[in-house]
């Protein structure tokens, strides 16, 4: 029997909570349910076919997937300090007054469950989300839609006095449920939940996805009458922000602009050769002097303008990797055109 088939120490926490979570309406995978034991005869190729042999990734040990019993929704549970600023901000952004605003792209807070024996620990329940490039961006329009949604969400956060302060690509995710009509496994995400075959995936052009900000662990929430909106600190994933300091206060709202600009540059301009319409805005967002950066509302309008000015054929074309040769690019363009024609005809029929 493979060592990976037994529970790892960091998984025991969730296994012990499984019966309690069931009483709260959330079911963990069989591996974590009370009474589960690994199959002593499982080994080799057969082990790879067993769903209950799939361990929770160690990098995600504070989070676990679950099924909401009331409707079968795939969700994430995340442990968090009950007194944390993160929980306060999540509650605020999911309040009745804000949750239904279509501009709100903060991850929905579906429920808060207090740990049964430790009042200092709570578990927040969120929709299960995927990385923004899983599956990969295919069309220029996919990139433009992502940018508009996430700038709209940032403008909403700033309008409501929240500076994310860590809006790196790792902390922006997407609800891609519409792309997977038969679902997917929460760990082996390219497979169906029962591992019987690969998960069918649709293109973003045929099924809308929604992008969300997650992880408000170092975010700031200011009151409407705050006399100062400056912060200190060098936390966060994006270390290229020029103004980060532990001694000189800076504006976290302009820092958010820089971090998103760096994301757009790293994930799009650096990778793709035909998204140049966003280049001027990205340059202004990543200006070294925060005073030269647009605010979130202005950045959103500039992005929308760049999107509207792009030709339709340009927006509907595939993203071209900067690693492609001229010949390879031409071949891929032909295949993309043929695929587009086939897809159009299938919709007509």
């Amino acid at each position: 029997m493979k060592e990976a088939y037994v529970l790892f120490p960091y998984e025991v926490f969730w296994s012990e909570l499984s019966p309690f979570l069931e009483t709260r309406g959330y079911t963990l995978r069989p591996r974590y349910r009370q009474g589960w034991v690994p199959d002593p005869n499982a080994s080799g190729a057969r082990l790879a076919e067993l769903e209950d042999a799939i361990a929770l990734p160690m990098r995600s040990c504070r989070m676990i997937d679950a099924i909401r019993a009331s409707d079968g929704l795939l969700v994430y549970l995340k442990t968090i300090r009950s007194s944390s600023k993160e929980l306060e901000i999540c509650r605020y952004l999911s309040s009745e007054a804000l949750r239904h605003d279509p501009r709100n792209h903060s991850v929905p807070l579906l429920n808060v469950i207090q740990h049964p024996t430790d009042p200092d620990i709570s578990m927040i329940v969120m929709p299960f989300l995927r990385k923004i490039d899983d599956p990969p961006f295919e069309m220029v329009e996919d990139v433009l839609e992502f940018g508009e949604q996430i700038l709209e969400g940032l403008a909403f956060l700033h309008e409501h006095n929240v500076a994310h302060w860590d809006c790196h690509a790792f902390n922006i995710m997407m609800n891609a449920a519409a792309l997977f009509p038969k679902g997917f496994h929460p760990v082996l995400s390219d497979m169906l939940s029962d591992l019987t075959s690969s998960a069918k995936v649709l293109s973003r052009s045929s099924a809308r996805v929604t992008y969300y900000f997650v992880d408000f662990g170092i975010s700031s929430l200011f009151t409407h009458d705050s006399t100062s909106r400056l912060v200190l600190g060098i936390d966060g994933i994006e270390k290229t922000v020029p103004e980060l300091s532990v001694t000189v206060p800076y504006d976290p709202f302009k820092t958010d602009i820089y971090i998103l600009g760096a994301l757009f540059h790293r994930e799009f301009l650096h990778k793709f050769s035909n998204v140049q319409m966003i280049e001027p805005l990205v340059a202004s967002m990543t200006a070294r002097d925060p005073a030269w950066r647009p605010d979130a509302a202005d950045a959103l309008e500039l992005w929308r303008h760049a999107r509207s000015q792009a030709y339709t054929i340009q927006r509907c074309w595939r993203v071209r990797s900067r690693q492609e040769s001229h010949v390879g690019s031409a071949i891929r363009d032909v295949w993309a055109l043929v695929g587009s024609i086939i897809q159009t005809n299938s919709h007509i029929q």
Side-chain angles (χ1 to χ4, degrees):
M1 178 174 53
K2 296 285 188 180
E3 182 181 347
Y5 198 19
V6 300
L7 289 178
F8 289 103
Y10 62 85
E11 294 180 290
V12 173
F13 171 85
W14 293 109
S15 177
E16 293 176 344
L17 279 176
S18 181
F20 166 73
L21 291 172
E22 286 205 28
T23 68
R24 301 304 302 269
Y26 299 95
T27 304
L28 303 186
R29 288 187 284 122
R31 177 181 178 88
Y32 305 104
R33 295 177 197 167
Q34 193 170 34
W36 173 83
V37 292
D39 183 348
N41 299 315
S43 62
R46 184 169 178 273
L47 190 66
E49 300 172 357
L50 298 176
E51 195 286 327
D52 66 348
I54 301 173
L56 185 69
M58 188 171 184
R59 67 180 182 277
S60 305
C61 61
R62 291 180 56 216
M63 302 173 64
I64 195 168
D65 55 277
I67 296 295
R68 188 166 65 181
S70 62
D71 58 5
L73 180 69
L74 181 62
V75 299
Y76 245 147
L77 307 178
K78 176 184 176 181
T79 58
I80 191 172
R81 303 299 297 181
S82 300
S83 59
S84 67
K85 175 67 74 172
E86 180 176 8
L87 182 54
E88 178 189 351
I89 292 174
C90 287
R91 287 185 188 275
Y92 170 63
L93 293 171
S94 282
S95 63
E96 191 64 27
L98 302 185
R99 179 67 269 156
H100 301 295
D101 192 316
R103 302 172 300 153
N104 188 350
H105 287 268
S106 57
V107 61
L109 182 64
L110 303 179
N111 199 356
V112 180
I113 304 171
Q114 187 170 301
H115 191 282
T117 60
D118 187 346
D120 291 334
I121 297 178
S122 292
M123 288 161 280
I124 58 176
V125 184
M126 307 168 287
F128 189 94
L129 305 177
R130 297 173 69 107
K131 295 179 180 179
I132 60 173
D133 59 354
D134 179 24
F137 290 92
E138 296 179 311
M139 317 294 288
V140 172
E141 180 66 7
D142 297 342
V143 172
L144 296 175
E145 173 65 17
F146 166 80
E148 181 163 337
Q149 281 196 40
I150 216 62
L151 281 170
E152 178 181 66
L154 188 68
F156 179 87
L157 290 179
H158 289 187
E159 178 185 325
H160 291 88
N161 308 303
V162 176
H164 190 284
W165 208 7
D166 200 18
C167 45
H168 188 275
F170 293 158
N171 289 331
I172 298 174
M173 303 188 75
M174 66 174 174
N175 187 337
L179 300 183
F180 295 85
K182 295 184 178 181
F184 56 87
H185 192 277
V187 178
L188 301 182
S189 58
D190 59 343
M191 301 293 292
L192 291 177
S193 58
D194 59 6
L195 305 186
T196 55
S197 66
S198 297
K200 178 183 178 181
V201 58
L202 305 178
S203 67
R204 300 188 202 207
S205 61
S206 61
R208 177 178 169 81
V209 299
T210 304
Y211 302 96
Y212 292 108
F213 292 98
V214 301
D215 196 346
F216 292 86
I218 64 171
S219 301
S220 298
L221 171 61
F222 298 92
T223 61
H224 290 284
D225 57 355
S226 296
T227 57
S228 173
R229 296 191 173 198
L230 302 180
V231 297
L232 292 170
I234 57 174
D235 294 328
I237 301 170
E238 184 59 66
K239 299 303 184 184
T240 66
V241 182
E243 63 266 25
L244 294 184
S245 173
V246 294
T247 58
V248 181
Y250 57 91
D251 182 349
F253 296 96
K254 288 300 181 76
T255 299
D256 279 351
I257 294 295
Y258 180 95
I259 296 172
L260 272 191
L263 182 158
F264 294 149
H265 187 275
R266 184 181 299 113
E267 299 297 325
F268 303 135
L269 289 173
H270 180 70
K271 293 180 178 179
F272 308 130
S273 62
N274 58 334
V275 293
Q276 65 276 9
M277 72 286 292
I278 68 172
E279 191 166 5
L281 173 56
V282 172
S284 67
M285 292 176 69
T286 53
R288 289 196 59 82
D289 186 343
W292 288 96
R293 300 172 200 158
D295 63 23
D298 288 340
L300 173 60
E301 289 309 308
L302 290 168
W303 185 282
R304 285 173 170 164
H305 179 73
R307 184 180 186 181
S308 68
Q309 292 301 300
Y311 293 113
T312 301
I313 191 171
Q314 184 181 17
R315 291 166 54 178
C316 296
W317 207 248
R318 70 179 185 87
V319 288
R320 288 198 186 101
S321 170
R322 291 192 179 276
Q323 306 303 314
E324 294 178 6
S325 65
H326 291 299
V327 173
S329 183
I331 293 173
R332 289 182 176 88
D333 284 345
V334 170
W335 276 113
L337 180 60
V338 171
S340 177
I341 293 172
I342 293 174
Q343 185 177 27
T344 299
N345 287 338
S346 67
H347 286 318
I348 294 175
Q349 294 172 358

